[in-house]
Amino acid sequence: MTTSRPINKIVLAYSGGLDTSVILKWLQEEYNAEVVTFTADLGQGEELGPAREKAEAAGVSEIFIEDLREEFVRDYVYPMVRANAVYEGLYLLGTSIARPLISKRLVEIAHETGADAVAHGATGKGNDQVRFELGVYALDPELRVIAPWREWELTSRTKLIEYAESRGIDVPTDKRGEAPFSVDANLWHTSSEGKMLEDPSEEAFEMVYQRTLRPEDAPDQPEYITLDFEAGDAIALNGQAMSPATLLTALNELGRRHGIGRLDLVENRFVGMKSRGIYETPGGEILMAAHRGIEQLTLDRGAGHLKDELMPRYAKLVYEGFWFSPEREMLQAAIDRSQEFVSGEVRLKLYKGSVNVVGRSSPASLYSLEHVTFEDDDVYDQKDAQGFIRLNALRLQLLAQRRRRLGRND
């Protein structure tokens, strides 16, 4: 990682908010460098026009604002769904999975514009600094990465606002007080943490939840939907073919209406501390349940069990920022190979915060009614089970005999 070269141009991951607006000015002053801004639309639901206006007002001449929703879902979310990836048994990795795409575009824009460095607004306490930087260094180890929160002395909201006002940066009224919590959002999820959420013994206020109705306020009647899959990817909702981002958007609305996808989690950050986050993944929870449902019919037991063993490792790699690592790519190749016959239709019931698979069918199904029926059949000889059990019991019998021989009862 080169650190000695002078920096002439920097690509900044820019939201247009107070923090990155301050970072933009700080980079211009501290490094005396030209700054290029990159703003990604990953489905966070915010108007991106103001980001362009603020960048122009700051004298930025190269401004990149890109709609990456389809690429995000197709190339990042869907591969993760094929893996059934869940971190620490609960978290659907919404923030984690967005960072590799942002890192990739930062590097590509640096190459397109001849920049020497990239910069991000992640703090020195969180996981995102790791994810951004591992992504950048995996794609171009010669680029410098600048993390202002680890360098500057603007260590409080008051100092940040004072700096902004002294440079003529607009400070919205709602930013002058202490923010009640921080929010990160994309098409897959919303994450809220910090401040009023830092005490894990206290239930989160309802105001924290922005994407879902309270399950108690959801409709009193269940709603049934179908999802069609092809090679492990969802391709249609209620029989209507949709692009990945369009389908996830529709699932988000269904999940919102039925209060699905809420999670209150204390997780282990990669940097070593525990943190409490409130997550909402309405469409994601539906999609993950449906994918599991179609795998139940189409995935061989050995392949399915191996996938379940690999999944925590895969989820950990995504969480810790190793999307571009060879081990994640190796796992992905194995997972994708397993999805060849994961095609068919899943029927789901949505009701007051829950999503349940209530039906599934597939032309590639491994389910055999002839073999599983309790009625008479001509394909399975129940006497065969006796030898099967005896062979599997042999080692257990030998272990028991040894315990008796040695007088061990434990």
Side-chain angles (χ1 to χ4, degrees):
M1 304 174 195
T2 305
T3 58
S4 57
R5 294 197 314 264
I7 294 175
N8 299 308
K9 184 182 283 191
I10 305 164
V11 181
L12 169 64
Y14 182 70
S15 70
L18 177 61
D19 289 10
T20 54
S21 293
V22 170
I23 288 172
L24 170 54
K25 179 58 69 174
W26 183 86
L27 290 171
Q28 291 171 330
E29 294 182 354
E30 186 72 15
Y31 285 88
N32 192 29
E34 180 183 353
V35 178
V36 177
T37 60
F38 163 54
T39 306
D41 180 0
L42 298 181
Q44 57 266 44
E46 297 177 352
E47 173 59 47
L48 300 183
R52 178 180 298 278
E53 295 167 6
K54 291 179 181 180
E56 289 173 347
V60 176
S61 59
E62 293 180 280
I63 300 170
F64 291 78
I65 298 178
E66 301 178 353
D67 184 347
L68 301 177
R69 288 174 293 178
E70 288 294 349
E71 182 179 359
F72 174 53
V73 181
R74 182 189 66 238
D75 296 343
Y76 296 84
V77 171
Y78 269 21
M80 187 175 69
V81 172
R82 286 178 224 136
N84 300 318
V86 182
Y87 180 69
E88 296 188 337
L90 292 167
Y91 175 42
L92 297 184
L93 297 163
T95 299
S96 316
I97 195 59
R99 299 328 186 203
L101 176 53
I102 295 173
S103 298
K104 180 176 80 77
R105 282 303 294 145
L106 282 172
V107 171
E108 289 171 348
I109 292 170
H111 293 167
E112 292 168 19
T113 60
D116 315 288
V118 299
H120 63 78
T123 72
K125 281 190 174 183
N127 296 309
D128 279 344
Q129 57 179 337
V130 183
R131 296 165 182 155
F132 282 131
E133 295 179 39
L134 289 180
V136 170
Y137 290 135
L139 298 172
D140 186 349
E142 297 302 312
L143 277 175
R144 285 275 300 275
V145 180
I146 302 170
W149 281 101
R150 301 202 302 257
E151 295 185 24
W152 65 18
E153 297 180 356
L154 305 177
T155 53
S156 70
R157 177 64 49 175
T158 299
K159 291 180 179 178
L160 206 67
I161 291 174
E162 288 175 350
Y163 181 95
E165 290 177 333
S166 69
R167 270 69 174 182
I169 298 171
D170 179 55
V171 181
T173 303
D174 64 347
K175 296 295 185 182
R176 292 187 177 276
E178 195 71 14
F181 52 88
S182 65
V183 178
D184 177 79
N186 58 51
L187 197 54
W188 186 240
H189 91 151
T190 297
S191 163
S192 302
E193 63 181 13
K195 304 297 169 42
M196 65 184 292
L197 300 175
E198 287 178 353
D199 185 349
S201 70
E202 295 291 333
E203 183 177 3
F205 292 98
E206 187 60 27
M207 64 176 287
V208 176
Y209 296 99
Q210 301 160 65
R211 285 204 174 173
T212 53
L213 290 178
R214 283 197 323 152
E216 298 91 329
D217 297 331
D220 292 329
Q221 297 299 319
E223 182 171 359
Y224 291 86
I225 65 170
T226 61
L227 278 172
D228 291 344
F229 285 83
E230 185 176 299
D233 291 343
I235 60 170
L237 171 62
N238 293 330
Q240 181 179 353
M242 296 181 181
S243 71
T246 304
L247 191 147
L248 181 55
T249 300
L251 289 180
N252 279 335
E253 174 54 28
L254 288 165
R256 182 201 68 78
R257 190 160 66 237
H258 292 279
I260 293 167
R262 292 186 172 195
L263 173 64
D264 184 332
L265 176 67
V266 175
E267 70 196 64
N268 290 291
R269 285 183 180 173
F270 189 22
V271 295
M273 66 189 77
K274 288 184 182 288
S275 65
R276 190 263 192 107
I278 304 297
Y279 298 113
E280 294 176 276
T281 320
E285 188 164 323
I286 297 170
L287 185 57
M288 292 287 274
H291 183 258
R292 279 282 191 181
I294 195 61
E295 281 194 330
Q296 291 166 10
L297 277 187
T298 57
L299 209 56
D300 167 73
R301 181 186 67 179
H305 289 184
L306 178 58
K307 271 194 74 208
D308 283 345
E309 292 175 20
L310 296 175
M311 184 275 285
R313 179 66 186 275
Y314 182 102
K316 186 170 181 284
L317 289 170
V318 175
Y319 185 83
E320 294 178 353
F322 289 97
W323 180 263
F324 297 109
S325 67
E327 59 268 37
R328 201 281 307 175
E329 293 172 349
M330 289 169 64
L331 287 176
Q332 192 73 61
I335 289 161
D336 290 352
R337 177 66 178 83
S338 77
Q339 301 294 286
E340 181 181 1
F341 297 107
V342 181
S343 302
E345 181 185 273
V346 181
R347 189 165 184 254
L348 304 114
K349 177 182 178 181
L350 315 180
Y351 182 64
K352 288 193 176 295
S354 68
V355 51
N356 293 291
V357 174
V358 295
R360 67 290 269 167
S361 61
S362 170
S365 175
L366 292 172
Y367 183 86
S368 171
L369 182 58
E370 278 189 300
H371 284 82
V372 80
T373 182
F374 284 99
E375 302 300 328
D376 292 336
D377 68 82
D378 297 321
V379 296
Y380 185 86
D381 187 346
Q382 297 193 32
K383 294 185 179 65
D384 291 344
Q386 183 174 350
F388 173 78
I389 294 168
R390 285 184 180 277
L391 287 174
N392 277 280
L394 177 59
R395 66 185 183 91
L396 302 179
Q397 292 173 319
L398 292 172
L399 288 166
Q401 290 169 4
R402 182 179 67 179
R403 286 197 302 271
R404 285 200 299 270
R405 188 172 66 249
L406 298 178
R408 298 285 295 273
N409 296 316
D410 53 341

